[in-house]
Amino acid sequence: AFAILYIQFCYLKETKLGAVGETKNVVQKDAEFDVTYNDTVTSENQTIYAFNHTVSRNKTEGVRVSVDVLSQGFESPILFVIRQKQAVLSFQVPLILRGLYQRKYPYKHVGRTLCQPPTRAASESQYFFVDVSTLSNQGTNYQLRVSRVESFTLQTDTKFSFTASPSQPQYFKYVFPDGIDTVIVKVNSEMNFPCSVMSIQDIQCPVYDLDNNVAFIGMYQTMTKKGAITVQRKDFPSNSFYVVIVVKTEDEACGGPLRFYPLRPDELIDAGNRSKVLDVMVSPAINSDIYVIGMLFCLGIFLSFYLLTLLVACLENKSSEAVTDSATSTDNNYGYMDRSLDSVGRSRQESLSSVEEDDYDTLDDINSDKNIVRTKKFLCVSDLARKDKRILKWSNSSQMSHFSRNIATIAVFYALPVVQLVITYQTVVNVTGNQDICYYNFLCAHPLGALSAFNNILSNLGYVMLGLLFLLIVLKRDIVHNRALVRNNLNALECGIPKHFGLFYAMGTALMMEGLLSACYHVCPNYTNFQFDTSFMYMIAGLCMLKLYQKRHPDINASAYTAYACLAVVIFFSVLGVVFGKGNTVFWIVFSVIHILATLLLSTQLYYMGRWRLDSGILRRMVYVIYTDCIRQCSGPMYIDRMVLIVMGNIVNWCLAAYGLIERPNDFASYLLAIAICNLLLYFAFYIIMKLRSGERIQCLALVCILFTAVVWGFALYFFFQGLSTWQKTPAESREHNRDCILLSFFDDHDIWHFLSSIAMFGSFLVLLTMDDDLDTVQRDKIYVF
């Protein structure tokens, strides 16, 4: 109020005093709506147009003032002051709007909508005045037109088209109907540019409707073709709000080019025609019933997997009982059951008493024994599972459990700051109203409490529930196996792939953490926190590869500390890529070199089963091998199967490194994840092929899991690549990819990706858990290593 009184005082003082103390000639005219007034103003005269406007409590009628300056000069602009009962609006013509680097854009045609003051009377007649003045000694011609905006109030589910420009913003009023508490305001245009801003503001004066002040209050977002904001009644005490549309002076905020580069900072730039045709529609959002249905649907899907697992477990128990009853009368195919337990125990203790790696790795004869065993042309699992029962028991209960214990510790220390950070992000969005911070699918973002997109968070529930279910399945198998060991069951002691469950526990925990961190990411998805969504994906891919390798190499698998240290390096590079990788050639050169060197080192490790040393003599030994095997005599690789895997792996990784170096993708985190997934798929395919090639078979349950998982992954990837938003572009460009909900009016394509990918990951884990069940009764010296 003080500011308004001060402006009026200054204005009255100016009307009485000229530039040099001369009295101005003030002319007041009674004016009418929808009449164009052509007039001239100088420093010696001033014109006041008086308009009589009827304001109704139950009817909102907008008033729009349009002004054109017909003179060419910009030295002395005309000042227009609109004085209302409870508001004052002033602007100069030509209107100077600033862009980046203080560039100035003049506009001679200005149109502004007046803020309607509230009234308690059913109908009230109010005057408002348009004062026109200038300091120019020469006469300046102008046109003034004041008109009523008949369609000022937006109707529910009714589209309204209009035109806006930087100097002619538009805003409209919407009143919540009875029974509707949440609406979604959609603004669309056929034109990408000029860039524009849509804002939701409370019913109060003044309305901030220029490029330089539209972000002062309310909620706002930049847009090109699409914009959408969900509005809740509880945020607006008057049960109504303004929809404000502003066209920006420049397109840089929407990903457009900066076309003008003035040599002088005070140079005025002609922006050209920046008019934009848009349409706005306000539609009711979903009600509380849809929220309940969505949550029940989500719970129902994943609880059904618990019921299915329980059913399969019951069937397995019946089958195992039938097998146990007939075991005494059935001969084993391998003639293994005829051996007595005592002879087995004695033979293992005699043969393994001198090769306890954890105690005697420093002895040269033990190293020699390792070299003899691990460099055989054909290896069996028994060659790489040479620790006796005491060491194996310690390995299961302690070393392998390090995987699950360490990942639980990592999860706690990683998740706590992540939760704190995303809460801060959401608070900033709610306080500032800047909806360009988070890359939602605004056409299907359902708020709940302080959360802006609850559906994207809820859909991650599957990772947590299925991760927990997998842990329960592993626990059940672990208990059954330990009971078999207590009974000195021959199959548990001497047959099948050695049962190490530590990595399985770690995989289940990682899947649950992926759900939690993905939910945190979707609180406010953007470029800087995408690593929250991918960190445990790296973990999952790495743990799955380790588990595949451990199946046939139980004694030489990487320790938990080494594995997590390597994964920490991967996440470290992920952070570096996010911060420095965008368009940085030096970073991509360094990363590609490291990627290739790591591939070569891992290839050597796999080929020689760890029986090589990285020391000062490595180059000499490499030259010697090349000379003896390639120059002196051309001999093929000793381990052909391993060489095939290594060659294929190097081809894939070299191609990925070349792609990264040439294309330098902006989404480095996804690129790094693609490397991990490609290597995992390659190794899994190799494992399956070699398993079948070795005469092994895949049991029915594992085969069903493989086929089911492959189909689900296919559908999941289809929905993943729909791309409802992308932080590789500006927020306005990202919104062009937004689409409506497709499931229960609550879930969008990305939510379905969450559903399907959690099911597919769960299925993939079951494949790793069950794929070698056919070997549970096969002696380990008959199970090949590949």
Side-chain angles (χ1 to χ4, degrees):
F2 174 78
I4 294 174
L5 291 174
Y6 177 76
I7 293 173
Q8 291 179 339
F9 170 76
C10 294
Y11 166 74
L12 292 173
K13 184 178 178 181
E14 181 186 351
T15 60
K16 293 182 179 180
L17 300 177
V20 226
E22 297 179 356
T23 304
K24 280 191 174 183
N25 181 24
V26 179
V27 178
Q28 179 167 324
K29 301 178 180 179
D30 291 331
E32 297 180 359
F33 287 91
D34 299 318
V35 175
T36 301
Y37 294 93
N38 293 278
D39 213 333
T40 302
V41 63
T42 66
S43 60
E44 298 179 355
N45 66 71
Q46 179 176 346
T47 304
I48 300 177
Y49 298 88
F51 292 87
N52 186 3
H53 180 46
T54 301
V55 179
S56 301
R57 183 177 57 193
N58 298 325
K59 179 181 179 182
T60 302
E61 189 178 60
V63 175
R64 189 163 182 84
V65 177
S66 300
V67 176
D68 279 292
V69 172
L70 305 179
S71 302
Q72 297 298 320
F74 297 99
E75 293 79 9
S76 298
I78 303 176
L79 178 64
F80 290 84
V81 180
I82 297 100
R83 294 180 289 124
Q84 299 174 263
K85 182 179 180 180
Q86 298 181 13
V88 173
L89 173 66
S90 63
F91 55 87
Q92 70 174 50
V93 184
L95 179 65
I96 306 298
L97 297 177
R98 294 182 181 270
L100 291 176
Y101 312 113
Q102 298 302 310
R103 282 180 287 232
K104 298 179 180 179
Y105 300 92
Y107 294 90
K108 290 187 175 182
H109 181 68
V110 178
R112 304 291 296 276
T113 303
L114 302 186
C115 181
Q116 178 178 329
T119 179
R120 295 182 179 180
S123 180
E124 180 182 354
S125 181
Q126 296 182 359
Y127 278 92
F128 68 90
F129 304 91
V130 180
D131 307 338
V132 185
S133 61
T134 184
L135 294 180
S136 175
N137 293 323
Q138 298 179 352
T140 304
N141 298 324
Y142 66 89
Q143 288 183 346
L144 171 67
R145 183 181 179 89
V146 178
S147 56
R148 292 184 173 90
V149 183
E150 300 294 340
S151 54
F152 182 69
T153 302
L154 298 174
Q155 303 299 318
T156 305
D157 286 330
T158 301
K159 182 183 294 185
F160 177 72
S161 298
F162 59 94
T163 302
S165 70
S167 62
Q168 301 174 78
Q170 299 271 11
Y171 66 86
F172 307 94
K173 184 178 180 180
Y174 180 80
V175 180
F176 281 97
D178 294 336
I180 296 179
D181 295 325
T182 307
V183 295
I184 178 169
V185 182
K186 302 177 184 178
V187 179
N188 296 287
S189 176
E190 297 295 329
M191 309 163 62
N192 279 337
F193 299 107
C195 178
S196 53
V197 178
M198 67 172 297
S199 171
I200 304 297
Q201 301 180 19
D202 201 357
I203 303 296
Q204 62 181 19
C205 298
V207 177
Y208 296 94
D209 60 348
L210 289 178
D211 186 19
N212 57 6
N213 63 19
V214 69
F216 284 2
I217 65 171
M219 299 179 288
Y220 64 93
Q221 60 180 224
T222 55
M223 59 164 288
T224 52
K225 286 186 173 182
K226 290 182 180 180
I229 296 180
T230 300
V231 186
Q232 301 182 78
R233 183 194 291 263
K234 66 180 181 64
D235 297 327
F236 297 91
S238 63
N239 294 328
S240 58
F241 57 86
Y242 285 137
V243 180
V244 183
I245 306 298
V246 176
V247 176
K248 296 183 71 66
T249 56
E250 295 173 334
D251 297 328
E252 189 270 345
C254 294
L258 291 174
R259 298 166 48 198
F260 306 109
Y261 299 92
L263 299 177
R264 296 185 298 275
D266 293 331
E267 181 179 355
L268 297 176
I269 306 169
D270 183 8
N273 181 19
R274 292 188 64 80
S275 296
K276 187 170 186 176
V277 179
L278 307 103
D279 58 71
V280 59
M281 185 171 68
V282 183
S283 304
I286 62 174
N287 55 32
S288 58
D289 293 339
I290 302 297
Y291 278 85
V292 173
I293 292 173
M295 289 186 281
L296 292 177
F297 174 81
C298 190
L299 282 171
I301 287 180
F302 300 114
L303 286 177
S304 65
F305 281 89
Y306 282 77
L307 296 177
L308 182 61
T309 302
L310 182 61
L311 177 62
V312 172
C314 293
L315 294 176
E316 281 188 341
N317 287 337
K318 289 185 178 180
S319 301
S320 61
E321 290 174 2
V323 171
T324 303
D325 293 339
S326 59
T328 55
S329 59
T330 303
D331 294 330
N332 188 279
N333 292 334
Y334 298 96
Y336 182 69
M337 298 296 293
D338 296 336
R339 300 173 60 191
S340 68
L341 182 59
D342 294 337
S343 63
V344 170
R346 285 196 302 271
S347 63
R348 281 191 59 81
Q349 290 178 1
E350 291 171 359
S351 63
L352 301 178
S353 61
S354 62
V355 290
E356 302 306 329
E357 299 179 21
D358 295 315
D359 297 327
Y360 302 104
D361 270 354
T362 58
L363 300 180
D364 293 336
D365 56 342
I366 298 300
N367 285 329
S368 175
D369 182 72
K370 289 187 202 176
N371 290 333
I372 294 173
V373 172
R374 297 184 188 176
T375 55
K376 294 195 306 183
K377 187 170 184 179
F378 299 104
L379 281 171
C380 295
V381 170
S382 58
D383 297 320
L384 299 181
R386 295 167 60 82
K387 299 175 183 178
D388 70 5
K389 289 180 289 184
R390 291 170 299 155
I391 303 299
L392 272 177
K393 185 176 181 181
W394 174 85
S395 178
N396 261 327
S397 62
S398 179
Q399 185 181 4
M400 287 300 106
S401 65
H402 287 173
F403 279 99
S404 55
R405 293 175 183 174
N406 287 351
I407 201 170
T409 304
I410 293 170
V412 171
F413 279 91
Y414 193 90
L416 288 179
V418 167
V419 172
Q420 179 184 6
L421 182 61
V422 297
I423 290 175
T424 302
Y425 265 117
Q426 185 67 72
T427 302
V428 170
V429 172
N430 294 338
V431 171
T432 64
N434 183 2
Q435 300 209 351
D436 282 353
I437 296 177
C438 306
Y439 286 71
Y440 302 117
N441 175 19
F442 287 90
L443 293 177
C444 187
H446 304 302
L448 182 66
L451 300 173
S452 298
F454 173 70
N455 53 303
N456 293 148
I457 298 171
L458 176 65
S459 58
N460 287 283
L461 182 64
Y463 298 106
V464 179
M465 293 186 65
L466 294 182
L468 177 60
L469 178 58
F470 183 74
L471 289 178
L472 295 176
I473 295 173
V474 173
L475 177 62
K476 184 249 184 186
R477 287 201 168 210
D478 194 2
I479 293 173
V480 171
H481 177 68
N482 286 332
R483 288 175 178 173
L485 291 178
V486 170
R487 298 194 308 267
N488 289 324
N489 183 279
L490 292 179
N491 287 342
L493 290 170
E494 300 293 329
C495 295
I497 300 295
K499 300 294 190 292
H500 293 175
F501 295 101
L503 274 170
F504 284 127
Y505 285 124
M507 289 161 55
T509 305
L511 184 58
M512 295 176 67
M513 286 306 303
E514 171 58 29
L516 174 62
L517 293 178
S518 178
C520 290
Y521 164 71
H522 283 283
V523 170
C524 182
N526 58 50
Y527 179 73
T528 56
N529 63 15
F530 182 58
Q531 59 169 309
F532 303 160
D533 197 24
T534 55
S535 294
F536 272 80
M537 289 185 183
Y538 305 141
M539 291 278 191
I540 291 172
L543 292 173
C544 288
M545 281 189 282
L546 279 174
K547 188 59 200 178
L548 270 176
Y549 189 76
Q550 186 198 58
K551 281 177 173 290
R552 309 279 171 151
H553 311 79
D555 284 358
I556 59 175
N557 201 41
S559 68
Y561 305 108
T562 302
Y564 288 133
C566 293
L567 292 172
V569 171
V570 171
I571 295 176
F572 173 73
F573 275 104
S574 174
V575 175
L576 289 181
V578 170
V579 178
F580 303 109
K582 195 171 183 178
N584 191 330
T585 304
V586 175
F587 169 81
W588 280 100
I589 292 174
V590 172
F591 175 77
S592 299
V593 170
I594 294 175
H595 181 192
I596 292 172
L597 289 177
T599 301
L600 294 176
L601 290 175
L602 184 60
S603 300
T604 306
Q605 177 75 13
L606 293 176
Y607 187 76
Y608 290 107
M609 292 287 182
R611 306 314 300 156
W612 69 289
R613 297 189 307 275
L614 182 60
D615 52 22
S616 58
I618 184 67
L619 294 178
R620 177 177 55 81
R621 293 195 296 273
M622 288 174 60
V623 172
Y624 179 76
V625 170
I626 293 174
Y627 173 74
T628 56
D629 291 354
C630 300
I631 298 177
R632 191 171 68 181
Q633 62 177 7
C634 185
S635 59
M638 182 176 180
Y639 313 109
I640 297 178
D641 294 334
R642 278 183 245 166
M643 181 58 69
V644 170
L645 172 64
I646 289 170
V647 169
M648 292 299 297
N650 275 266
I651 291 174
V652 170
N653 282 277
W654 282 62
C655 290
L656 289 171
Y659 171 79
L661 188 59
I662 295 171
E663 296 294 332
R664 297 193 291 275
N666 293 331
D667 188 357
F668 181 80
S670 295
Y671 168 76
L672 201 58
L673 184 61
I675 293 176
I677 292 176
C678 287
N679 283 275
L680 174 60
L681 292 177
L682 176 65
Y683 190 31
F684 179 76
F686 172 80
Y687 191 97
I688 292 294
I689 292 172
M690 292 302 300
K691 180 177 176 67
L692 298 176
R693 185 168 174 261
S694 301
E696 300 173 10
R697 59 188 178 86
I698 300 176
Q699 288 189 340
C700 180
L701 178 60
L703 184 61
V704 169
C705 289
I706 291 175
L707 296 178
F708 173 76
T709 302
V711 172
V712 175
W713 269 124
F715 284 105
L717 291 174
Y718 169 79
F719 286 101
F720 175 76
F721 287 112
Q722 293 304 302
L724 301 182
S725 62
T726 171
W727 40 255
Q728 299 180 53
K729 299 179 180 179
T730 63
E733 292 174 306
S734 173
R735 273 183 277 275
E736 294 181 19
H737 302 277
N738 289 177
R739 286 201 292 273
D740 293 324
C741 304
I742 62 172
L743 180 62
L744 302 177
S745 300
F746 191 76
F747 299 109
D748 61 15
D749 298 74
H750 197 74
D751 294 322
I752 298 177
W753 150 255
H754 286 160
F755 292 148
L756 295 179
S757 63
S758 61
I759 295 171
M761 285 186 185
F762 174 70
S764 301
F765 289 1
L766 289 181
V767 170
L768 293 178
L769 184 65
T770 62
M771 64 189 301
D772 287 317
D773 285 353
D774 60 301
L775 303 177
D776 285 347
T777 58
V778 179
Q779 293 175 247
R780 289 172 186 163
D781 58 0
K782 292 183 172 60
I783 303 175
Y784 291 107
V785 172
F786 39 78

